[in-house]
Amino acid sequence: MNIVYASDYDELSQIAAQAIQDYVREHPDGVLGLATGDTPIGTYRELARRHQAGEISLRSVTTFNLDEYYGLPADHPQSYRTYMTEHLFRHVDIDGDRIHIPSGVAADADAHCREYDRKIADAGGIGLQLLGLGGNGHIGFNEPDVELKEGSHLVQLSDETIRANSRNFASVDEVPRQAITVGLGAIFRARKIVMLASGKAKAPIAAQLVRSGVTTQIPATLLKLHPDVTVVLDKEAASGLPEA
Ligand code: F6R
């Protein structure tokens, strides 16, 4: 696990956008695994800026998002589909047919998950996977547990995640209790992984991630077993690591 220290959120966003730009330059029809949440907003803003400056085209790229709240229709203001449209897709030249985000309203969630995994496999797997770091160490919505799942699945969100994500909803009661998330398999088969963590609130988990051994109770530690992972921490997220 390669750790890169960024001076601030802007630099973290530049580093992540550059990693994506480099990957897309080498693989114009490559496959990106994308995350939502607060952390990658600056990365997507920077990608949109670079696209508008003629520096990057996503025309032939295929994308798979990590997750979607279960129970929210695609056009719900807090759906991850809406997030992706607002923060990235409507600002770039991506082909709508190549965008994949789990459905929050699939009647048969298990069948939908199997189909999502098949589509990822048919696309040749993820080339570059962008990840955020949950306050409890989750990646995607693979929450701490005694066992982690290989395939995409319907997951019960932890109280901590529901609380953390309530900042985007009118009240905690409105946060969906379930989500569809890709499993560790698709994340692990990604050729390259870039994980971002920004801000003081991520300092304790970033320190745990760096110091802890591999444990399913901190799913992000499993990334230590992957051959090509870069973790980008801004100054605040790295503040629990005095050696940083
Ligand atoms: C989002 C996702 C989550 C977030 C994580 C951090 O698609 O899969 O794992 O990356 O919860 O969220 P933020 O960036 O809001 O702190």
Side-chain angles (χ1 to χ4, degrees), residues 31-165:
V31 181
L32 291 174
L34 298 177
T36 56
D38 286 350
T39 316
I41 289 176
T43 305
Y44 296 147
R45 193 185 305 128
E46 179 58 17
L47 284 176
R49 190 197 66 71
R50 291 179 186 211
H51 170 68
Q52 276 139 31
E55 295 168 17
I56 179 172
S57 168
L58 298 179
R59 198 178 320 122
S60 305
V61 158
T62 297
T63 63
F64 288 92
N65 265 79
L66 283 166
D67 38 28
E68 179 59 281
Y69 287 120
Y70 195 60
L72 296 192
D75 62 357
H76 188 283
Q78 298 307 332
S79 77
Y80 286 160
R81 165 76 66 170
T82 299
Y83 168 106
M84 288 307 301
T85 304
E86 288 307 310
H87 291 293
L88 182 65
F89 295 150
R90 73 187 179 92
H91 306 289
V92 295
D93 57 348
I94 194 155
D95 173 355
D97 290 342
R98 295 179 198 262
I99 292 171
H100 303 88
I101 302 179
S103 166
V105 293
D108 185 340
D110 286 348
H112 181 66
C113 288
R114 282 195 301 276
E115 194 190 335
Y116 201 69
D117 285 339
R118 188 183 48 71
K119 284 182 181 163
I120 295 174
D122 287 351
I126 308 288
L128 172 66
Q129 176 68 58
L130 186 64
L131 293 175
L133 174 61
N136 61 1
H138 70 211
I139 47 178
F141 276 136
N142 293 278
E143 300 278 31
D145 209 334
V146 285
E147 274 180 24
L148 299 175
K149 292 203 166 69
E150 195 274 338
S152 295
H153 56 283
L154 185 64
V155 62
Q156 210 64 38
L157 296 176
S158 68
D159 291 344
E160 184 173 352
T161 298
I162 291 168
R163 234 184 354 266
N165 290 9

Side-chain angles (χ1 to χ4, degrees), residues 188-204:
F188 245 79
R189 282 186 290 275
R191 259 78 76 198
K192 194 177 187 57
I193 297 176
V194 177
M195 166 178 270
L196 309 177
S198 165
K200 263 216 142 11
K202 294 292 167 68

